[in-house]
Amino acid sequence: MADARKLGFGPIAAPGGGVLIVFADDSLQFGPRTRSALGSAAELIARAAKAERFTGKTGSALDIVAPAGIKATRLVLVGTGKAADRKAQDLVKLGGIAMGKIPNAATEVTALLELADGPLKPEAAADVALGATLRAYSFDRYKTKRKEGEEPPAKARVTLAVADVTGARKAWVAREAVAEGVVLARDLVNEPPNVLYPVEFARRATGLRKLGVGVEILDVKAMRKLGMGALLGVGQGSRHESRIALMRWNGGKKGTPPLAFIGKGVCFDTGGISIKPAANMEDMKGDMAGAACVVGLMQALAGRKAKVNAIGAIGLVENMPDGNAQRPGDIVTSMSGQTIEIINTDAEGRLVLADVIHYVNTRFKPKFMIDLATLTGAIIVALGQENAGMFANDDKLAERLTQAGLDTGERVWRMPLAPEYDKLIDSKFADMKNTGGRFGGSITAAQFIQRFVGKTPWAHLDIAGTGFASPASDINKSWGSGWGVRLLDRLVAEHYEK
Ligand code: BES
Ligand code: MN
Ligand code: ZN
């Protein structure tokens, strides 16, 4: 849901009325244009900073009402920390921080995008705008009332003042597409499960057609014909039919193999017959965060016309207990021909991925496959919410993902795969079972998926800890984080375009 706040770029000029945002580093140094814009108010600021012990630390702010010497009704100083410590990612954060400091009542806001060492370059300005946009996101589609004293979201017009306006606008075109991808992913994760069931999710994916993305929907009949017994087994207890949505963006050279992104889209996970306890079960509306990320990524790639061929594939099901639901003890046959004994119907995500991954691999022969799934509670125990678990059969892909994670702040931590773990999912009755016992739960889940991957370079991202219920950050206040869109967009931009 795009926020009411309107964002645009403008020239650095003597600021008019409204709120003025300026940046100061930890030695309270301003850039030259900021200094001249502040004029005689600079003196006042220096004194106020001293009185308030404002040190310019990252994230700190100083708010001065009706500052003497300038036209602004309010001046907000935002700290940028030590220039030497600054990374590109910090500019995104800085945009988020600055957006967070805008008073709710503001209608006109100008932020001077200049640091002590001078005005921000277009790419850097676009990073700030990205952070500001993501911070401004909120999901309030279903709120018809507000608590007393709660202001309606401000409709402030925010101008980012830069030295090179044309350059910044140009850089923003691509970055805005990424912002829109993250926003789309967040919206999907936040939607309630009575609204966003598999058929509706698939319909939303078709919305990408207007960007030139080819979208193909496989219904139950088509999946039956393909022999997708693993995915269909999960959905058979639901009143809502299962779907697969395939999204194709051909921005690269004709004939070059596509990159493939595959998402777990369990629109609601009750656990099925192995039903989950009631506490926090409502969170399982977010069990489609992997699929949401894939849709958001396709939106970003198409929106910025990425020079790459990419496939997005999402398996959409609802895992319900029912007279027709799958049972522990059932044996299903996956599209790959491998058979699976169901031990626990709550280990459903891997069953969905098994068929989608096999399908994508055999039909598209992709350059690599990356799957995203809110797969195991165990990964939250292992890594918390600051890193997603990464499993990979390819060191180069793993390293690139790790670096993209550090660059975007959407970090991944590599976990092991090994034949010894693989043994834990051998079954007495079928080729494998769908759970491997208590030990190494995230690893045996990854081993399971690997059995459907073949030799294609592959990485599996377990995003159970990062996809939703996210701790608030400088660039996200929403439950659904849209995690992974920026990570994968960066991976593509850095290594696979042209
Ligand atoms: N969707 C859950 C995993 C999950 C749990 C994601 C909490 C986010 C937050 C998954 O389908 C699941 O139920 N996994 C089981 C696997 C077990 C039965 C082997 C789990 O983690 O307990
Ligand atoms: Mn489950
Ligand atoms: Zn699940």
Side-chain angles (χ1 to χ4, degrees), residues 90-255:
D90 294 346
L91 290 168
V92 180
K93 271 197 210 162
L94 194 62
I97 292 168
M99 187 56 105
K101 303 293 181 196
I102 297 177
N104 234 352
T107 52
E108 283 290 333
V109 180
T110 307
L112 291 189
L113 294 198
E114 187 186 51
L115 303 177
D117 48 1
L120 291 185
K121 303 249 152 51
E123 293 294 318
D127 277 339
V128 172
L130 173 62
T133 305
L134 295 182
R135 168 64 174 251
Y137 173 90
S138 73
F139 185 79
D140 40 24
R141 193 172 286 179
Y142 297 98
K143 294 208 172 186
T144 66
K145 298 186 185 74
R146 280 172 207 289
K147 290 191 204 91
E148 217 178 315
E150 215 178 54
E151 297 285 319
K155 293 206 190 313
R157 260 198 9 180
V158 180
T159 303
L160 303 178
V162 290
D164 178 359
V165 178
T166 318
R169 283 192 183 133
K170 226 166 123 192
W172 177 231
V173 172
R175 217 62 111 259
E176 189 178 23
V178 178
E180 281 166 359
V182 177
V183 165
L184 174 57
R186 286 180 183 174
D187 276 350
L188 290 167
V189 175
N190 285 325
E191 280 286 10
N194 58 330
V195 172
L196 197 72
Y197 46 90
V199 169
E200 171 61 13
F201 198 137
R203 191 190 68 78
R204 300 231 183 154
T206 63
L208 296 180
R209 283 177 184 151
K210 63 177 183 293
L211 295 174
V213 176
V215 184
E216 192 181 324
I217 308 296
L218 304 186
D219 62 10
V220 170
K221 199 170 143 209
M223 290 188 269
R224 240 184 235 134
K225 212 164 144 196
L226 289 161
M228 295 185 167
L231 184 152
L232 289 170
V234 176
Q236 77 187 28
S238 171
R239 296 289 182 95
H240 289 296
E241 281 193 15
S242 303
R243 290 287 185 270
I244 286 176
L246 293 167
M247 295 153 275
R248 260 189 284 186
W249 169 249
N250 292 323
K253 268 202 216 80
K254 220 177 150 182

Side-chain angles (χ1 to χ4, degrees), residues 89-434:
Q89 182 209 126
D90 294 346
L91 290 168
V92 180
K93 271 197 210 162
L94 194 62
I97 292 168
M99 187 56 105
K101 303 293 181 196
I102 297 177
N104 234 352
T107 52
E108 283 290 333
V109 180
T110 307
L112 291 189
L113 294 198
E114 187 186 51
L115 303 177
D117 48 1
L120 291 185
K121 303 249 152 51
E123 293 294 318
D127 277 339
V128 172
L130 173 62
T133 305
L134 295 182
R135 168 64 174 251
Y137 173 90
S138 73
F139 185 79
D140 40 24
R141 193 172 286 179
Y142 297 98
K143 294 208 172 186
T144 66
K145 298 186 185 74
R146 280 172 207 289
K147 290 191 204 91
E148 217 178 315
E150 215 178 54
E151 297 285 319
K155 293 206 190 313
R157 260 198 9 180
V158 180
T159 303
L160 303 178
V162 290
D164 178 359
V165 178
T166 318
R169 283 192 183 133
K170 226 166 123 192
W172 177 231
V173 172
R175 217 62 111 259
E176 189 178 23
V178 178
E180 281 166 359
V182 177
V183 165
L184 174 57
R186 286 180 183 174
D187 276 350
L188 290 167
V189 175
N190 285 325
E191 280 286 10
N194 58 330
V195 172
L196 197 72
Y197 46 90
V199 169
E200 171 61 13
F201 198 137
R203 191 190 68 78
R204 300 231 183 154
T206 63
L208 296 180
R209 283 177 184 151
K210 63 177 183 293
L211 295 174
V213 176
V215 184
E216 192 181 324
I217 308 296
L218 304 186
D219 62 10
V220 170
K221 199 170 143 209
M223 290 188 269
R224 240 184 235 134
K225 212 164 144 196
L226 289 161
M228 295 185 167
L231 184 152
L232 289 170
V234 176
Q236 77 187 28
S238 171
R239 296 289 182 95
H240 289 296
E241 281 193 15
S242 303
R243 290 287 185 270
I244 286 176
L246 293 167
M247 295 153 275
R248 260 189 284 186
W249 169 249
N250 292 323
K253 268 202 216 80
K254 220 177 150 182
T256 52
L259 315 179
F261 301 94
I262 294 137
K264 168 180 173 181
V266 177
C267 294
F268 195 75
D269 181 12
T270 64
I273 295 300
S274 316
I275 198 163
K276 289 178 181 296
N280 303 318
M281 204 207 270
E282 69 278 12
D283 280 0
M284 285 300 112
K285 73 170 183 177
D287 209 17
M288 30 55 70
C293 172
V294 169
V295 176
L297 175 68
M298 297 307 285
Q299 156 108 25
L301 295 178
R304 67 176 182 79
K305 300 191 167 52
K307 292 189 180 61
V308 71
N309 295 335
I311 301 279
I314 55 179
L316 302 166
V317 301
E318 185 181 54
N319 188 22
M320 297 292 271
D322 176 78
N324 194 46
Q326 121 173 311
R327 292 154 289 258
D330 282 5
I331 293 178
V332 296
T333 303
S334 67
M335 183 186 171
S336 74
Q338 301 179 90
T339 57
I340 304 158
E341 181 190 6
I342 308 300
I343 301 298
N344 188 320
T345 64
D346 197 11
E348 84 296 341
R350 63 199 73 181
L351 298 166
V352 172
L353 290 173
D355 277 338
V356 182
I357 285 176
H358 178 81
Y359 177 72
V360 167
N361 197 22
T362 50
R363 175 168 169 192
F364 299 107
K365 312 250 178 320
K367 182 170 176 60
F368 68 59
M369 295 191 284
I370 296 177
D371 77 76
L372 299 101
T374 47
L375 206 64
T376 65
I379 204 68
I380 315 177
V381 175
L383 298 177
Q385 298 194 276
E386 303 307 325
N387 276 277
M390 171 177 66
F391 300 82
N393 65 2
D394 185 275
D395 291 342
K396 195 168 87 183
L397 183 56
E399 270 162 39
R400 289 175 169 182
L401 275 165
T402 300
Q403 191 56 48
L406 293 171
D407 292 344
T408 56
E410 294 186 332
R411 278 167 296 165
V412 299
W413 194 262
R414 192 169 185 183
M415 301 281 289
L417 290 163
E420 292 78 4
Y421 295 112
D422 197 59
K423 274 195 233 142
L424 300 175
I425 53 169
D426 288 340
S427 157
K428 265 203 295 284
F429 299 107
D431 296 336
M432 69 194 88
K433 50 187 183 180
N434 78 328

Side-chain angles (χ1 to χ4, degrees), residues 453-490:
V453 163
K455 293 197 162 43
T456 306
W458 156 77
H460 155 59
L461 303 179
D462 192 334
I463 62 168
T466 56
F468 57 77
S470 316
S473 77
D474 293 326
I475 57 169
N476 183 38
K477 297 290 161 199
S478 148
W479 185 80
S481 61
W483 192 97
V485 175
R486 290 188 304 119
L487 170 77
L488 297 176
D489 177 76
R490 175 64 66 100

